Structure formats: C-alpha cells, structure tokens
Amino acid sequence: MADCFRENNKDSAFYYLKQSEKIYLLIKNDDRLAKVHYNKAYLLFYEGNYTESEIEVVKALNYLKKGDNLELLYMCNSLQGSNHTELEEYDKALDYFKQAASTLQKMQKLGLNVAEINDYNVINTIDICNIYDKMGEYSKSLSILKEIISQKTISKDSKIYNTVIGNIAYSLMKMGKYQEANQYFQYAIQLSKNSENTQNYLYKIINFGEYHLLTKDTVKANALLNEALELSKQLKSGKEELKTLKFLSDANPKKASFYNNEYVRISDSIVKKQRASRDKFARIEFETSQVEDQNKLLNYKNIALLLGIIISIIVFLLIIYIRHKISLKKELYLLEQKNIADKELFNLTNEFQIELVNTKQNEQNRISKELHDGIMNQIYGVRLNLGFLNEFDDSASKEKRLILVKELQKIEAEIRTLSHDLSSENNFNNSDFNFLLHNLIQSNNNISNTVFTIDIDETIDWDNYSSLLKINVYRILQELFLNVNKYATAQNCTLKISAHDSVLYVTVSDDGIGFNVSKTNDGIGLKNIKERLELLNGSVNILSQSNQGAQFNISIPIN
C-alpha cells in the first residue's frame, strides 16, 4: 500500500509504512524493518528533509548489520551519500558512496543481480564524480566520466548516458575548456529533449546558462536561465529555483535586487536550518556502534564526557520544564480569574433577568387590577347614568350629562396613563447592556493591575441593536481585555463606545508595551475577533508600536 501511494500521496505512504513497521517489530523481522526505514528515508529525501532522511537510513543500516541483504545495503549507503551531499558534508558523502561501491563488488563476486549491477556501478560512479565536482576536483571527475563513455557499457538512449554527458560538459566548463564543453552541452540538451525528460532538461539548461555567464554571453545566459526559472517553478524544484535565481542576479545586474529578494524568500521556506536543532543521536549511535566493533572498550574520559553531556541535557530540559510549569501556572490563574468573572457575570445577569420578569409580572397585575376594579366600574357607572339621562332633555339633565362627559375624559386620561406605563416598562431594558459593560470593566479591575475605564455615548439606545451584535461586541471586548491582562503590562486601558452615521464605533486603547502588528496578525485571538466582525460586516484597525501601547479601532454598521 505504501508503494502504491509513494509518488502521489506521500502522507498515505508514510501512514502505511508506519503500520507495517509496527507489524515487523512484533514479528521481529529485521530485514523488512530495514526496508521500511529505507522507504521512509527515500520519501523524506525527495521532500527535501535530508536530516530526517539521514536518521531513517541510520535505523535501516542498524537492522542490516546482522543480515545479508547486500542490495538494500548498497541502496542505503547510496541514499546516505546523497543526504550528506545535500547537507554539503562532502567528505562523509564520499565515504558512503565508496561503501556503496564496496558492497557492489561483493555482489559481483557472489553473482547477485548481474543485470542491474552495471547500472548501479555507473550511477554510483556518477555520484562520486559529482562529489569531486563539488570539491573542485574537476579533472578527476572528468577522467572517470570519460572512461565510462569509452567503455560503452551504457546505452546512448538511457537516462544514465544523458547524465554522464551533462556531467562531462559541467566538468569541462569548470576547467575552462569552453569550446569542448559547449559541444557536450548541446549534445546533452538534445538528448534530454528527445527523451522528453523534463527534470534532466532543467539541470542541463541551468548549467548551460552558467556556461554562457562564464563566457560573457549574458543574452543567451538570461534566455536560458529565465526558461529554467519558469520550468523549476512548474516542477516545484526549490533547489533548482534557488540556483537559477543566483545566476540571474549575476546575469542581469539591473534586476539583481529583485532576484536576490526572491532568493531569500524561497530560501527561507526550505527547512535546511532545522538541521542544527534536530536529534542526531540515532546517527551518532550507529557511528558509535561501528567504533565499538573495532574498539570494544571505552576509556574513562569518554564515559565521563558522555555522562556530562547527558547531565547537561537533563539540567537543560529541567530548566525548560520548570519555566514551562511557571508559565502554565500563570496562564491557569488567569483562566481561573476569567471563569470566576464569567460566573459572576452569569449570576448578575440571571438575577437581573429574574428581577425584570418579576417587575413585569407585578406591573401587569397592577395594571390589570386597575383596569378591572377602577376603570371598568367607572365606565359601567357612566354608561348607566348616560342611558338614564338620555330620556330627559331639560337643563338639569344636560348639566348632568356634561359632568358625565368630563368623567369620561378623566377615565380617558387614566387609560392613557396606564398605556404610558406599559410602554415605559420596556425602557428598563435600555440599561441592560450598559450594565453588562460596566460590570465587565469592574470585573477586570478586580483581577488586574491595569486600571480599566469606560466612556459610552449616552445617546446610544441599545434596544435598537440586535442580540447578535451585543453578544459579539461583548465577547470581542472580553478577548481584548484578556490580552491586555496577559501581555500588555499596561497601567491604563480605556473602552470608548460611540455611534454616528449608522456606524457603531468601539475603541480599546492601552499604554502598554505594544507589539509588532504584522507578526501578531495571524494569532488565534485576533482571528476569533475578525470572525465575529465578519458576522457583523464589521472591521478592525490595529495601531501599535513598541513601548507605545496599542489601539484597536472597531467599526460595525448599524442595520
């Protein structure tokens, strides 16, 4: 399964390799475990993670020490040589390639894989010549490569033959033999085109571009290198892209700054610097075991040195652990204080809601009683009297009817008063959100050394705002105040809320240590704030500089 996914889905390949590793560990099959670690190393190498690949090869070599799988031993030594080549450790790379050559000689003597050994030998020889080139020993590389061509042991149609021709051209170029190098470059590029080997073609035109740089033909150099840059981007070949950008900065001085900036940007994305902080103990263990095979005893100084290193590491890890615990304890304290504040807020809100419900119910009962016992009886009495007086038309009756009309006016005024009471009862909610905001300020003042103050425009009618807006504004303020408490080291923090032109403006500012806005832009807290503002079609503008405090300006359209 891992082999099926190796080219197209490396994550799945790693998953199945890990599962098979568990099985082979259980059944103690060292040969298959070595193969698993080699395959993991192979995937890591082509992902550009050379240090981790090196560690996996060491594990494979440890399992192969007691076995007789010479072909896998050759492949491990060859891959390890390639790892050290990419890590620019050329002496170690050469050593592993020579170990690979020694293994191939053993295979030839035993008559193993006769059909493939010839190709293995040529590939390993090319790898060794590549190291000689990187070490500046071009003449040594050239003589070996030309000997391979003269022996006619490889087909002219093969990828290996094309590689040898290209390497000969490169060595000739580095030796200053430009005319001969040009012929080999032309031949190698034509072979790559005929075989439609895009990756091989990329290598050739980069080297040919370098050739034209050395021969001062910058026009052809620029043409070839720009083609190589586009092709390396298509193939996602980061190493080749860096190499091309370096040559382009020399070939085109006017755009050198642009190419250098691109080089830095891409170089930063390659995980080469991780090597210094990676665990190298697996490789050290293997190399130490080789020394132990030759020298069975260790002297006292080496043991003392090893113990010293272990103790130093333990002390270092202990210091990190203690600092982590202190930091964690502080964070837990802040979280506890936040939970306490949230509980207090919940209790206060709950009590307020209960009181509000009771007030509504009492007011409704009062109004209902007044309507039934007072106004209804008055209307009933007036109706009876008017009905009785309608039978008379004398002046006394008219005067009594006028008195009853005035009585109706009084009843009308009472009804209007009750109606006003019913309407004004809802205004109690106007102070609800203000109450929550003031309580939030008070809660933070209770748990923080920072002095929190609040300034709210008194003309704001919170009943005109949706519950969705209010709860999101509240949660945003909670997040901002929490960040002030945790990071700002501020003496003062001010919340200001105003509204005009159909926009609600919320500003939180402090006089703390400030922060780098560009580096904090993708934090979890700020992401949550932005997500809440997206829900409200709002936006936030952050102003901050080192030791000059911070200011969050939030604007939310009012629907």
Side-chain angles (χ1 to χ4, degrees):
M1 289 296 292
D3 290 341
C4 290
F5 286 114
R6 184 169 65 180
E7 300 300 329
N8 300 321
N9 191 335
K10 291 181 173 56
D11 290 343
S12 294
F14 265 105
Y15 170 78
Y16 286 109
L17 285 171
K18 189 64 180 176
Q19 298 309 308
S20 60
E21 181 182 353
K22 292 178 182 177
I23 295 168
Y24 293 135
L25 280 169
L26 287 172
I27 63 176
K28 299 181 180 180
N29 189 328
D30 289 354
D31 189 63
R32 297 303 296 173
L33 277 169
K35 182 65 173 177
V36 167
H37 286 297
Y38 170 80
N39 285 343
K40 288 168 71 176
Y42 177 88
L43 290 173
L44 288 164
F45 178 83
Y46 284 98
E47 284 289 295
N49 196 340
Y50 308 118
T51 302
E52 291 296 330
S53 175
E54 176 189 355
I55 292 170
E56 291 298 326
V57 174
V58 170
K59 293 177 181 178
L61 287 170
N62 273 322
Y63 282 114
L64 288 171
K65 282 196 299 183
K66 297 179 181 179
D68 56 358
N69 191 336
L70 294 177
E71 184 174 10
L72 184 55
L73 181 62
Y74 155 75
M75 290 191 292
C76 286
N77 283 318
S78 179
L79 181 55
Q80 195 72 315
S82 298
N83 281 322
H84 286 297
T85 301
E86 297 299 333
L87 294 169
E88 299 180 4
E89 297 172 349
Y90 302 130
D91 289 335
K92 289 185 178 181
L94 192 59
D95 180 55
Y96 275 104
F97 285 134
K98 287 180 178 180
Q99 288 185 51
S102 176
T103 304
L104 288 174
Q105 289 177 0
K106 292 180 183 178
M107 291 172 66
Q108 281 179 316
K109 289 180 180 178
L110 295 172
L112 301 175
N113 299 329
V114 177
E116 297 179 357
I117 281 181
N118 186 54
D119 284 346
Y120 286 160
N121 271 316
V122 174
I123 293 170
N124 193 63
T125 304
I126 292 171
D127 289 334
I128 291 173
C129 290
N130 185 37
I131 297 299
Y132 286 143
D133 284 338
K134 292 183 181 297
M135 296 172 73
E137 299 180 19
Y138 304 112
S139 59
K140 186 183 291 187
S141 172
L142 182 63
S143 63
I144 295 172
L145 292 171
K146 283 193 172 182
E147 184 179 352
I148 293 174
I149 295 296
S150 64
Q151 291 175 354
K152 297 181 181 180
T153 55
I154 49 176
S155 169
K156 291 186 177 182
D157 297 328
S158 69
K159 178 182 175 182
I160 299 174
Y161 182 81
N162 187 6
T163 301
V164 173
I165 295 297
N167 287 8
I168 290 174
Y170 182 82
S171 297
L172 287 167
M173 173 189 73
K174 286 296 186 178
M175 293 172 67
K177 299 180 179 181
Y178 297 126
Q179 186 174 357
E180 189 178 356
N182 182 43
Q183 295 175 359
Y184 275 97
F185 271 128
Q186 296 282 3
Y187 185 29
I189 290 173
Q190 188 59 47
L191 287 173
S192 297
K193 288 181 178 179
N194 293 341
S195 63
E196 297 182 354
N197 190 327
T198 310
Q199 189 70 49
N200 218 325
Y201 177 71
L202 174 60
Y203 298 147
K204 301 301 183 295
I205 60 174
I206 291 175
N207 289 337
F208 204 26
E210 182 184 2
Y211 165 85
H212 286 296
L213 268 180
L214 294 172
T215 56
K216 310 300 182 184
D217 190 346
T218 55
V219 175
K220 288 184 179 179
N222 271 297
L224 284 166
L225 292 171
N226 276 299
E227 181 185 359
L229 183 63
E230 291 301 316
L231 190 56
S232 62
K233 289 178 180 178
Q234 292 175 19
L235 297 175
K236 297 181 180 180
S237 298
K239 186 174 66 173
E240 280 65 46
E241 191 173 353
L242 287 176
K243 189 175 181 180
T244 304
L245 287 168
K246 189 174 185 302
F247 287 141
L248 278 170
S249 67
D250 295 331
N252 193 343
K254 292 182 179 179
K255 296 181 67 177
S257 177
F258 169 76
Y259 291 128
N260 287 331
N261 289 336
E262 280 294 290
Y263 183 93
V264 172
R265 181 182 67 80
I266 295 168
S267 180
D268 286 345
S269 67
I270 298 175
V271 201
K272 188 174 182 179
K273 292 181 180 179
Q274 293 180 354
R275 176 170 174 76
S277 61
R278 293 290 184 182
D279 184 6
K280 297 182 180 179
F281 286 106
R283 177 170 59 84
I284 294 171
E285 182 181 354
F286 171 70
E287 294 176 350
T288 303
S289 68
Q290 287 184 317
V291 174
E292 288 175 344
D293 291 339
Q294 300 170 7
N295 306 300
K296 298 296 182 180
L297 299 175
L298 287 170
N299 60 40
Y300 175 78
K301 289 184 179 180
N302 288 336
I303 295 175
L305 178 61
L306 184 60
L307 288 174
I309 293 172
I310 292 172
I311 292 170
S312 299
I313 292 172
I314 292 172
V315 171
F316 177 70
L317 292 175
L318 186 60
I319 292 170
I320 292 176
Y321 175 75
I322 292 171
R323 292 185 64 182
H324 172 72
K325 293 293 288 184
I326 293 172
S327 175
L328 187 62
K329 187 176 180 180
K330 184 177 180 181
E331 186 173 353
L332 286 173
Y333 173 76
L334 290 173
L335 287 173
E336 286 174 3
Q337 294 300 315
K338 180 179 178 296
N339 290 334
I340 292 171
D342 286 343
K343 288 179 181 178
E344 290 179 0
L345 174 64
F346 175 78
N347 291 333
L348 288 170
T349 306
N350 194 35
E351 291 173 5
F352 175 78
Q353 293 296 333
I354 292 171
E355 184 179 346
L356 180 61
V357 170
N358 290 335
T359 303
K360 285 183 177 181
Q361 187 173 0
N362 293 336
E363 190 66 10
Q364 288 172 352
N365 291 337
R366 180 185 67 82
I367 293 170
S368 175
K369 187 174 181 181
E370 287 189 19
L371 284 170
H372 184 272
D373 296 344
I375 295 175
M376 289 299 296
N377 288 335
Q378 292 178 49
I379 292 175
Y380 180 71
V382 171
R383 183 176 63 80
L384 288 176
N385 287 325
L386 282 174
F388 175 76
L389 290 173
N390 278 340
E391 296 179 2
F392 304 97
D393 198 26
D394 56 87
S395 59
S397 297
K398 290 180 179 179
E399 185 175 349
K400 288 181 179 179
R401 278 197 292 268
L402 286 173
I403 292 171
L404 291 171
V405 168
K406 289 181 180 180
E407 187 67 25
L408 284 174
Q409 289 175 342
K410 288 182 181 180
I411 295 171
E412 179 187 350
E414 285 188 41
I415 293 173
R416 187 178 295 110
T417 299
L418 287 173
S419 175
H420 177 72
D421 287 344
L422 284 171
S423 175
S424 63
E425 184 269 335
N426 289 327
N427 291 333
F428 186 68
N429 287 331
N430 290 345
S431 63
D432 184 19
F433 194 59
N434 277 334
F435 169 77
L436 294 179
L437 292 177
H438 281 86
N439 185 67
L440 178 61
I441 292 295
Q442 185 60 42
S443 298
N444 278 275
N445 278 325
N446 290 339
I447 66 171
S448 174
N449 293 326
T450 304
V451 177
F452 289 81
T453 56
I454 187 169
D455 179 13
I456 303 179
D457 188 349
E458 295 179 355
T459 62
I460 294 176
D461 184 359
W462 291 110
D463 278 353
N464 295 330
Y465 296 80
S466 68
S467 297
L468 180 66
L469 181 143
K470 287 188 280 189
I471 190 63
N472 278 291
V473 168
Y474 189 88
R475 294 304 181 199
I476 288 170
L477 292 176
Q478 279 186 314
E479 185 70 35
L480 291 175
F481 289 167
L482 178 62
N483 287 340
V484 170
N485 286 327
K486 287 178 69 175
Y487 306 117
T489 318
Q491 294 182 355
N492 300 285
C493 180
T494 302
L495 166 63
K496 184 176 181 180
I497 302 178
S498 60
H500 51 83
D501 298 332
S502 298
V503 178
L504 179 69
Y505 296 96
V506 180
T507 301
V508 176
S509 57
D510 66 74
D511 57 3
I513 60 174
F515 59 91
N516 189 325
V517 177
S518 63
K519 291 184 178 179
T520 316
N521 206 31
D522 292 326
I524 294 174
L526 186 55
K527 183 181 289 186
N528 290 337
I529 290 172
K530 289 182 176 180
E531 287 177 355
R532 289 184 182 277
L533 288 173
E534 274 184 14
L535 194 63
L536 304 172
N537 294 321
S539 61
V540 59
N541 181 32
I542 307 170
L543 303 174
S544 181
Q545 292 183 11
S546 180
N547 298 318
Q548 295 188 21
Q551 181 170 310
F552 290 77
N553 298 314
I554 297 170
S555 56
I556 304 170
I558 304 169
N559 296 329

